[in-house]
Amino acid sequence: MSEFVYLYRGGQTNRSPEAMQQTMQKWMAWFKDLGDKGHVKNVGQPLDRTGKVVRGKQKTITDGPFAEAKDVVGGYSLIEARDLEQAVELSKGCPIFEFEGAVEVRPVMKM
Amino acid sequence: MGPSEHPGEQLGDHLFRRESGRIVATLTRIFGVHNLALAEDVVQDAFCRALEVWKFRGVPENPSAWLMVTAKNRALDVLRRERTARTFAPELGRFLESEWTLSPAVEENFAPHAIKDDQLRMMFSCCHPRLSEEAQVALMLHILCGFTVDEVAAAFVSSHAAMEKRITRAKKILAGSKKLFDIADAHDFGARLPAVHRALYLLFNEGYHGASAESAVRAELCREAMRLVAPLREHPLAATPATFALSALMSLHAARLPARLDSSGELRSLGDQDRSQWDTNLVGEGQKLLDLSASGPELTEYHLEAAIAWAHAVAPRAEDTNWEMIVSLYDKLMAIRPSPVVALNRAIAIAQRNGPERGLEEIRAIANSDRLASYPFYHAALGEFELRAGRADAARDHFRAALALARSPMERTFLSHRLAACTAAVTTVP
């Protein structure tokens, strides 16, 4: 088994409370399914969509967001899969795709 | 902590929607009614946060409290950031000016009893006299029940554009009313209460008799009306005999909801329902509420309608129904709140008591019956009585007219079955 990080980008839209509740239930069902099949090393954390960027020798501080809203990372998870191909396949069940979001699948580098 | 073991299980159905209604009411109290849109934004934001955090960490122990606290903190941010640029609720104005009083003032408004009052305040505010009854109901569903414009439109079988216009206009009037309704003023409270009753009654009726095809939508509207009427029973000024009567009528009607559709999803008329499916708990509750309503000199249409519903609910079989009593209740109802629909129901009760010919006579005698012309069950009643009187040909014409007016697939199926029964009767006559 290899480790992968899922970075969840975008996918945040204003919807009705009822629709948001349904979306959340889909996410939790998806995580549960991945977990039941032994692919979740760590569910991970949500990230605030604001923050600061510190850059360069001058250590200039600028406000986030760091990219366009559709590219902002809203959270990450640590996933276990056979290989990159399987990790990609598993990511396809993520509810983020219903809302024009993206999952970036990145292998954790092996020593 | 990973996501909870059973996703969604700790979350009641429609929890987000209901909490959104509660929180908007409370925030509007703090921000002032002219900042209704700001309150809605803050709530939206709190729900986005919940969605982001809960999907990773699971649903918290007390999701309602989590949402309330998140909204409260967001409200404090907004108040601090914008108190120089905006005016907030005039009643709270001076408390919001200093950091010493801001936090306690907001805290106090988020206390459970204050939240309950905020609900009532908003309910009464939605029944603004400048709004039509339809607009009042739409506004309540939108603000207090967290229905989106699309969801309200679906419930009322209206187009998105028409509902959007109605709700936007209603909100503008509400936001322009300067302040929320003052529920501490006993005189104003008593004067506005009948409008609140009426709006809740219409909401319930839309669920019970409305044109919306999907039975889930119907049951939901009934549930929302029952949820909104409950706090009225607990408020000293609102717990009137009429409030208990309205609550009783909702419980007694809702008791029959599970039997309105049979196992194949088809509409069942009252006489045809499997009465073992009626909800006996709701019947019992309705009976208790009806007892509580029987005090004081006031006899409202809700008392009479509840009593009629009760007479049906306690009949073990359709043929045990006390039609004598039901007819006399309809007579009284006609005296205090006459309408073509009440007259039609009275005629149906008379037909049950005295036979179809008398029923037909009564229907023909209805004043303003042109207002019933587009109501499918007016024609269906005519058809039913003609059929029972042995005139299947005439009956068939009436059912055809009814079928042409059917508002949902369920009504259509029901009426085409009745039409088929006429055809069968015609062919079996020698």
Side-chain angles (χ1 to χ4, degrees), chain B residues 114-414:
Chain B
I115 291 173
K116 235 183 221 171
D117 280 353
D118 290 333
Q119 290 279 101
L120 275 187
R121 206 172 273 121
M122 184 58 90
M123 209 188 298
F124 277 65
S125 301
C126 286
C127 294
H128 196 282
R130 275 190 58 203
L131 296 175
S132 68
E133 284 176 342
E134 291 81 9
Q136 294 172 359
V137 177
L139 200 56
M140 272 203 215
L141 264 183
H142 180 61
I143 296 183
L144 280 170
C145 308
F147 279 53
T148 59
V149 171
D150 277 325
E151 286 160 353
V152 181
F156 286 90
V157 199
S158 154
S159 73
H160 171 90
M163 193 49 80
E164 172 112 80
K165 206 169 138 196
R166 177 181 288 177
I167 289 178
T168 308
R169 191 180 162 272
K171 273 190 185 170
K172 213 178 264 170
I173 288 176
L174 181 63
S177 63
K178 296 285 185 283
K179 56 190 265 220
L180 287 168
F181 185 83
D182 181 6
I183 55 169
D185 184 320
H187 178 264
D188 288 356
F189 194 99
R192 183 72 63 95
L193 187 57
V196 174
H197 285 152
R198 183 81 192 145
L200 294 178
Y201 173 81
L202 290 175
L203 175 58
F204 185 86
N205 248 2
E206 189 58 40
Y208 206 77
H209 299 290
S212 206
E214 210 196 315
S215 61
V217 176
R218 292 166 167 246
E220 243 172 70
L221 292 186
C222 292
R223 261 199 303 274
E224 291 301 322
M226 292 170 83
R227 203 172 61 82
L228 291 175
V229 80
L232 292 181
R233 296 198 298 270
E234 288 165 21
H235 188 277
L237 291 175
T240 61
T243 295
F244 286 111
L246 177 61
S247 302
L249 124 78
M250 290 184 186
S251 296
L252 291 166
H253 272 109
R256 302 204 302 258
L257 273 175
R260 289 190 73 209
L261 298 181
D262 64 16
S263 51
S264 51
E266 284 179 26
L267 213 51
R268 285 270 172 178
S269 65
L270 182 54
D272 255 356
Q273 287 175 8
D274 172 4
R275 297 186 176 215
S276 68
Q277 283 187 33
W278 287 0
D279 186 329
T280 47
N281 287 335
L282 278 174
V283 172
E285 198 178 302
Q287 198 153 353
K288 231 183 285 163
L289 290 163
L290 195 57
D291 289 343
L292 286 168
S293 78
S295 72
E298 198 190 14
L299 183 69
T300 63
E301 67 261 40
Y302 311 119
H303 285 92
L304 294 166
E305 288 197 33
I308 293 166
W310 176 81
H312 286 299
V314 295
R317 296 168 307 167
E319 55 270 36
D320 300 325
T321 311
N322 184 346
W323 291 109
E324 194 61 48
M325 178 176 145
I326 291 176
V327 170
S328 89
L329 288 166
Y330 273 120
D331 286 342
K332 291 196 184 94
L333 192 54
M334 275 306 280
I336 64 168
R337 199 165 181 111
S339 84
V341 173
V342 172
L344 176 64
N345 284 321
R346 179 177 164 276
I348 293 170
I350 288 176
Q352 294 293 348
R353 190 185 61 178
N354 304 99
E357 301 291 357
R358 280 277 291 121
L360 285 167
E361 255 171 59
E362 290 293 336
I363 291 192
R364 287 191 199 105
I366 294 176
N368 310 320
S369 63
D370 51 313
R371 276 175 55 201
L372 290 171
S374 63
Y375 182 51
F377 290 98
Y378 168 67
H379 301 279
L382 285 169
E384 214 61 64
F385 299 159
E386 291 288 4
L387 184 61
R388 276 186 228 167
R391 294 184 291 271
D393 269 329
R396 199 155 50 174
D397 291 342
H398 289 302
F399 279 117
R400 275 203 194 104
L403 194 54
L405 294 164
R407 300 161 297 176
S408 71
M410 269 189 307
E411 286 184 358
R412 213 160 290 133
T413 313
F414 174 79

Side-chain angles (χ1 to χ4, degrees), chain B residues 44-78:
Chain B
Q44 177 79 23
D45 199 78
F47 281 92
C48 281
R49 289 190 83 85
L51 173 61
E52 297 286 285
V53 174
W54 297 3
K55 67 190 183 197
F56 289 100
R57 297 185 192 157
V59 176
E61 193 96 340
N62 184 342
S64 304
W66 194 103
L67 287 165
M68 255 320 163
V69 170
T70 306
K72 183 172 70 187
N73 291 336
R74 291 286 301 117
L76 281 166
D77 288 347
V78 168

Side-chain angles (χ1 to χ4, degrees), chain A residues 8 14-18 20-21 24-25 27-29 31-32 43-46 48-49 74-77, chain B residues 3-5 7-8 11-12 14-17 20 44 47 49 51-57 59 148 151:
Chain A
Y8 306 104
N14 275 355
R15 274 162 294 124
S16 73
E18 188 76 0
M20 281 202 268
Q21 179 166 349
M24 194 188 60
Q25 282 165 334
W27 271 88
M28 290 172 50
F31 275 139
K32 180 173 190 304
V43 169
Q45 295 286 356
D48 232 317
R49 288 179 194 242
Y76 66 89
S77 307
Chain B
S4 51
E5 273 301 294
L11 273 190
H14 315 304
L15 176 102
F16 273 30
R17 196 165 76 189
S20 126
Q44 177 79 23
F47 281 92
R49 289 190 83 85
L51 173 61
E52 297 286 285
V53 174
W54 297 3
K55 67 190 183 197
F56 289 100
R57 297 185 192 157
V59 176
T148 59
E151 286 160 353

